[in-house]
Amino acid sequence: MAVKPSTVSWPVKMKYARWVSDDSPLVPFLFIAPYLAFFIVFTVYPIIQGMVIAFSDYDLIAESSRFIGLANFEAIFDPQNLFVKSLTNTVKYVVFGVPVFVVVGFIIALVMNSDIPGRIVFRSVFAMPFVINVAAMSLMFLWMFDSRVGIINYYFMKLGLPPQEWLSHPTSALGVIIFVSLWWGLGGVYLPFLAALQDIPQEYYEAAAIDGANSLQSFRYITIPCLKPTMLFVTVTQVIAGFQVFGQVLLITGGGPANSTRVVLQHIYDSGFQFFRLGEASAMAWILFLILMGITVTQFRLMQR
């Protein structure tokens, strides 16, 4: 059977070949197209939809909505609403917790970067809690801090100390949440510091030693300046993570006692999925987003000085 000659002209073939060749300007877009599609569907679209819901009385059951302007934003600042209290509790957690996370993570990184016996094992031990599920971790500490059968109070009584109601007092309950978060997230804090410490050229320290600098001066004028970008990264990520604390609070204290540990993400969850006030939940989420954006920009500008 005779082969039918192609009816596509030669200039058209050359144009098609140029667009599918390796140096085609479309090739980079083809590689990122799958990620871009997921990013648009699962990130950009929910953000836009959340903004629409924040200005409407969206009904999850009836799937209907009506534009109501700023009514949701006015409602969440009502004295009867716990949004301001939960936001205040979250700020307390960030103010008291993040400095502890950064300082302890930095100290652990310095120790793990020194020449101590078994440091490979210790590095794994400090990083392992980071991969534990938040539910399993929270249940473990819930048992440990139990006032009647908890192991913490067991050793307190062994030392002759009275048992403590760890989760029944606002101050100690917040302290327990900070301690649990530190234990759980220590790997995510100290590993960036450790990687940055190992990336500092040893020639800097050798040159400083030749010039007569002692260990403290080398630490102040070499280690700290070289770790400044990492310090910014860890601080920003920990502040963002602090404002998003949720799982351990919900499972260990449930926001109690008397809403003293109720955090903003828990309040958004309750408003949206317990009381089905999705409009208010979206409004709170947008306020939280603007707060985090403002804090992040401020931190970047302060660290760049």
Side-chain angles (χ1 to χ4, degrees), residues 39-298:
F39 178 75
I40 292 173
V41 173
F42 294 105
T43 302
V44 176
Y45 174 73
I47 290 175
I48 297 174
Q49 185 68 13
M51 179 179 288
V52 174
I53 293 175
F55 292 94
S56 65
D57 60 346
Y58 185 81
D59 190 328
L60 184 62
I61 306 300
E63 294 186 355
S64 61
S65 64
R66 181 174 54 89
F67 179 76
I68 57 173
L70 296 175
N72 287 324
F73 291 89
E74 295 174 358
I76 62 177
F77 286 104
D78 186 271
Q80 301 297 325
N81 198 303
L82 294 174
F83 173 68
V84 175
K85 184 174 181 58
S86 62
L87 185 60
T88 304
N89 292 335
T90 308
V91 172
K92 286 181 183 177
Y93 171 83
V94 172
V95 169
F96 292 109
V98 170
V100 175
F101 301 159
V102 175
V103 171
V104 173
F106 182 56
I107 294 173
I108 295 294
L110 289 174
V111 175
M112 293 298 103
N113 193 48
S114 61
D115 190 18
I116 61 173
R119 64 176 180 176
I120 301 298
V121 176
F122 286 116
R123 288 177 182 177
S124 302
V125 168
F126 283 115
M128 283 176 64
F130 192 57
V131 300
I132 297 177
N133 180 272
V134 63
M137 181 271 299
S138 300
L139 291 176
M140 179 182 71
F141 278 101
L142 186 61
W143 170 75
M144 290 178 64
F145 283 101
D146 188 274
S147 60
R148 291 176 299 177
V149 297
I151 192 171
I152 304 295
N153 275 346
Y154 171 79
Y155 284 108
F156 258 60
M157 290 186 287
K158 283 286 185 181
L159 295 173
L161 299 172
Q164 302 295 316
E165 298 285 346
W166 297 102
L167 304 177
S168 300
H169 296 284
T171 304
S172 60
L174 179 62
V176 168
I177 296 298
I178 292 176
F179 174 79
V180 170
S181 301
L182 172 64
W183 181 87
W184 186 41
L186 187 59
V189 180
Y190 101 86
L191 284 177
F193 280 126
L194 181 61
L197 286 170
Q198 294 178 343
D199 200 38
I200 299 176
Q202 291 302 311
E203 290 81 3
Y204 293 177
Y205 295 103
E206 294 171 0
I210 292 173
D211 291 339
N214 56 33
S215 301
L216 184 60
Q217 291 171 327
S218 297
F219 178 77
R220 179 180 178 184
Y221 296 108
I222 297 177
T223 304
I224 296 296
C226 289
L227 291 182
K228 193 174 179 181
T230 307
M231 192 79 71
L232 172 63
F233 169 77
V234 172
T235 304
V236 170
T237 54
Q238 289 304 308
V239 168
I240 294 174
F243 273 95
Q244 295 178 335
V245 62
F246 174 58
Q248 55 269 48
V249 176
L250 181 68
L251 294 171
I252 294 177
T253 66
N259 294 314
S260 62
T261 60
R262 185 180 186 84
V263 291
V264 66
L265 217 58
Q266 180 188 3
H267 191 59
I268 293 174
Y269 171 79
D270 287 344
S271 299
F273 300 104
Q274 297 292 329
F275 305 110
F276 301 108
R277 298 197 296 261
L278 289 183
E280 294 181 15
S282 296
M284 288 185 276
W286 268 100
I287 290 177
L288 179 62
F289 168 76
L290 294 176
I291 291 173
L292 290 177
M293 180 66 72
I295 291 174
T296 303
V297 172
T298 303

Side-chain angles (χ1 to χ4, degrees), residues 17-28 31:
R18 187 173 70 251
W19 281 108
V20 298
S21 62
D22 292 342
D23 57 350
S24 169
L26 285 179
V27 170
F31 278 109

